[in-house]
Amino acid sequence: MTARNTSRLRPPMLFIALILLGLVFAGSKLAEDIQQSGLTLSGLLPLMLLAVALLAALGFEFVNGFHDTANAVATVIYTRSLSPTVAVVLSGLFNFLGVLCSSGAVAFGMMSLLPVELIVQTGSHESFVMIYALLFSAILWNLATWWRGLPASSSHTLIGAIIGVGVAHAVSQGRSALSGVNWGQALNIGNALLLSPVVGFACAALLLLAIKRLVKSPALCQTASAQAAPSRWIRGLMILSCSGVSFAHGSNDGQKGMGLIMLILIAALPVTYSLNRTLTEGDSAQIVTLSHKAQQQLEALAPVGVVEDARAVLTTYLQTGEPDPRVLPALAQLTGTAGDTLARYGSLSQLPADRVAGVRNALYLSAETIKRLQADNTLQLPAATAQTLQALRKALEGATRFIPAWVKIAVALALGLGTLVGWRRIVSTLGEKIGKAPLNYAQGVSAQLVTMGTIGAASGFGLPVSTTHVLSSGIAGTMAANRSGLQLSTLRNMVLAWVLTLPAAALLSATLYWLFSAL
């Protein structure tokens, strides 16, 4: 059975209505947030730049639906367990729930790849150039690989784009290219992206063998029929595992779009979105208490006195990671000053507009510095100080790392709509072109269950992984375990797309960064 035999989805009026409804919803919530923060925008240009950037970010998630969300419904459509219409609606629903239930750890993990100065320079020309370069490079590469029918990774694409703008920015500032990216975080993400397909291949193969041994049902190992749907219990397995993959995908891939949108909002509207204004006065009081406590403990460890430019010291430390005796006193000074400012106004929501950027940058630099200090095995802090810093870091991240509910809803809607129009090319590749034999029910269930578990575990650790890589590797693993044979030409093209995606996206984003910088 081929993808040509499935019923064709035509964009109905409901599709257009959902797009318009989503844009109106996001726009109204954005205007409401701006009004509550007391910000007054002057001129049309800032609004136009913001609107284009937000539409591009949602466009990235829409295109992401072509790639990754299509993978979630590929097996259930190919095996005729559900019609395409029902499958994509069900997948969209569970993607929506997955996004809403996500913690945001993956989103901010992706953001931390960027050099610290690009994150703290909110509203600057460099931040807008960075955002536009990485957005458009990611969209262009995703569209190119989708057009070729290759299940390339949106995660690789976005990471490559971030690395490209980071390196380009560092070189443009006369620094080493290596200083443009948080390579420690890049290594963690790279390990997750490299290991997850291996886990998918091996675990799906083992699970298929276990199912064939434990479940004595010839029907489960049959290939999909072009005339009839499978039995109810097999359909139930396919639908449940498809729903699990969709939920896991939303909880992981949806966060990448959320991270992009938060980058845009913080850069364009720092007064409104750089600090979590929903924190209570009790939360703000906790930050004040922990800041002053950390200041006292750090000053006792490193009584250097007043550091001339504490922010510059911490920024340099985060860029290079090189030991500096001024780091601890600079951290004490910055946290103490931020605590004093917050104590004066009572809560984050009461900060005057002209104080928001300074307090946010102080809190962000302090949290990132504590994180770097905790990862430094050569630095031995007293237990009480380490405990205070850990509590302070958690409180600071609560103030600077947040995602409004409307952003999650908008991203979930973009993912679901992308699935609705772009699933066909990927379904054909995964169903028929990986193995020499068509996919059977047991292989589909095995690949989907392993994909769901792998992505869910990665989300728990705050690491982005590729649904495309894990599911396609899982299908390949089941083909190998079933001795169905593998189509080397398809696998070669897929591996080539995987290998080329990161450097190609990096080169494209770096080129766009230099081009936009010259405008």
Side-chain angles (χ1 to χ4, degrees):
M1 184 185 66
T2 65
R4 289 190 300 271
N5 293 335
T6 58
S7 60
R8 182 178 296 273
L9 287 173
R10 293 183 175 87
M13 292 301 296
L14 178 61
F15 181 83
I16 300 175
L18 285 174
I19 293 178
L20 295 177
L21 182 63
L23 292 176
V24 171
F25 171 76
S28 63
K29 288 296 182 181
L30 178 64
E32 182 181 325
D33 288 346
I34 293 174
Q35 184 179 16
Q36 289 180 352
S37 67
L39 181 66
T40 302
L41 296 178
S42 58
L44 290 177
L45 183 59
L47 285 175
M48 290 178 61
L49 290 175
L50 174 61
V52 170
L54 289 176
L55 288 175
L58 292 174
F60 170 80
E61 283 302 324
F62 185 83
V63 176
N64 189 4
F66 293 176
H67 284 75
D68 292 0
T69 314
N71 289 293
V73 299
T75 55
V76 78
I77 291 176
Y78 182 79
T79 58
R80 297 180 64 86
S81 298
L82 287 175
S83 68
T85 302
V86 175
V88 295
V89 171
L90 182 68
S91 177
L93 174 62
F94 278 91
N95 265 287
F96 181 84
L97 294 175
V99 173
L100 292 184
C101 295
S102 61
S103 65
V106 175
F108 293 106
M110 297 282 287
M111 290 172 61
S112 63
L113 283 172
L114 291 167
V116 63
E117 68 270 19
L118 284 180
I119 297 178
V120 299
Q121 292 174 358
T122 55
S124 66
H125 176 262
E126 288 81 4
S127 62
F128 277 106
V129 167
M130 168 199 70
I131 289 168
Y132 278 111
L134 69 88
L135 277 175
F136 286 112
S137 60
I139 291 172
L140 288 173
W141 183 256
N142 268 356
L143 284 174
T145 53
W146 168 79
W147 182 255
R148 298 294 300 174
L150 297 176
S153 168
S154 297
S155 300
H156 276 63
T157 302
L158 184 56
I159 292 169
I162 292 174
I163 291 176
V165 297
V167 169
H169 173 74
V171 173
S172 68
Q173 299 295 313
R175 305 199 317 266
S176 167
L178 296 178
S179 66
V181 178
N182 182 348
W183 293 107
Q185 179 67 7
L187 181 62
N188 292 334
I189 293 176
N191 287 336
L193 290 173
L194 288 173
L195 290 177
S196 55
V198 178
V199 171
F201 184 95
C203 291
L206 293 174
L207 182 57
L208 176 66
L209 295 176
I211 289 176
K212 292 175 67 175
R213 179 176 292 273
L214 298 175
V215 183
K216 304 298 183 180
S217 174
L220 189 60
C221 296
Q222 291 178 354
T223 57
S225 170
Q227 287 77 34
S231 62
R232 289 185 178 181
W233 73 274
I234 292 178
R235 290 182 67 191
L237 286 175
M238 296 296 300
I239 293 170
L240 285 174
S241 56
C242 165
S243 301
V245 172
S246 298
F247 183 88
H249 175 264
S251 70
N252 194 280
D253 268 47
Q255 294 193 54
K256 298 160 191 173
M258 287 152 52
L260 286 175
I261 290 178
M262 290 311 298
L263 270 178
I264 295 166
L265 293 176
I266 292 171
L269 302 170
V271 173
T272 305
Y273 291 105
S274 60
L275 288 174
N276 187 358
R277 291 177 168 269
T278 64
L279 290 184
T280 65
E281 291 187 4
D283 295 326
S284 299
Q286 183 186 25
I287 294 176
V288 173
T289 301
L290 290 172
S291 296
H292 290 156
K293 186 176 180 181
Q295 179 185 23
Q296 294 172 1
Q297 292 176 340
L298 290 172
E299 287 177 345
L301 291 174
V304 176
V306 177
V307 178
E308 185 173 346
D309 192 343
R311 296 190 184 190
V313 171
L314 297 187
T315 300
T316 302
Y317 173 67
L318 292 173
Q319 289 172 344
T320 65
E322 296 179 358
D324 188 334
R326 297 175 299 168
V327 168
L328 293 184
L331 178 61
Q333 184 174 320
L334 202 59
T335 55
T337 301
D340 291 340
T341 303
L342 191 54
R344 185 181 311 157
Y345 295 101
S347 67
L348 294 176
S349 61
Q350 298 300 319
L351 284 174
D354 59 348
R355 293 296 186 98
V356 170
V359 171
R360 188 260 178 181
N361 290 346
L363 299 183
Y364 180 84
L365 285 173
S366 298
E368 291 299 306
T369 301
I370 294 171
K371 182 179 179 180
R372 176 65 65 88
L373 291 173
Q374 290 173 332
D376 187 355
N377 296 325
T378 63
L379 182 64
Q380 298 296 327
L381 293 174
T385 304
Q387 185 177 4
T388 300
L389 291 179
Q390 173 62 24
L392 177 59
R393 175 189 165 189
K394 183 178 180 180
L396 296 181
E397 288 180 347
T400 58
R401 295 188 171 194
F402 70 102
I403 299 173
W406 70 264
V407 172
K408 293 186 176 183
I409 295 172
V411 168
L413 186 61
L415 272 175
L417 293 177
T419 305
L420 209 62
V421 300
W423 56 271
R424 187 175 303 277
R425 291 175 182 268
I426 307 302
V427 168
S428 177
T429 297
L430 294 180
E432 298 179 344
K433 297 181 181 179
I434 292 180
K436 293 181 179 179
L439 187 76
N440 65 39
Y441 303 121
Q443 290 172 316
V445 170
S446 300
Q448 289 187 153
L449 287 175
V450 168
T451 301
M452 175 183 66
T454 303
I455 298 175
S459 297
F461 288 104
L463 294 172
V465 293
S466 169
T467 304
T468 303
H469 284 196
V470 179
L471 183 59
S472 56
S473 297
I475 292 175
T478 63
M479 292 291 177
N482 203 42
R483 299 182 179 179
S484 302
L486 296 170
Q487 295 192 36
L488 296 181
S489 60
T490 299
L491 293 180
R492 182 179 64 248
N493 289 338
M494 289 171 62
V495 171
L496 186 62
W498 296 346
V499 171
L500 289 179
T501 290
L502 196 147
L507 180 61
L508 183 57
S509 66
T511 302
L512 290 178
Y513 180 89
W514 283 316
L515 177 63
F516 293 160
S517 296
L519 296 179

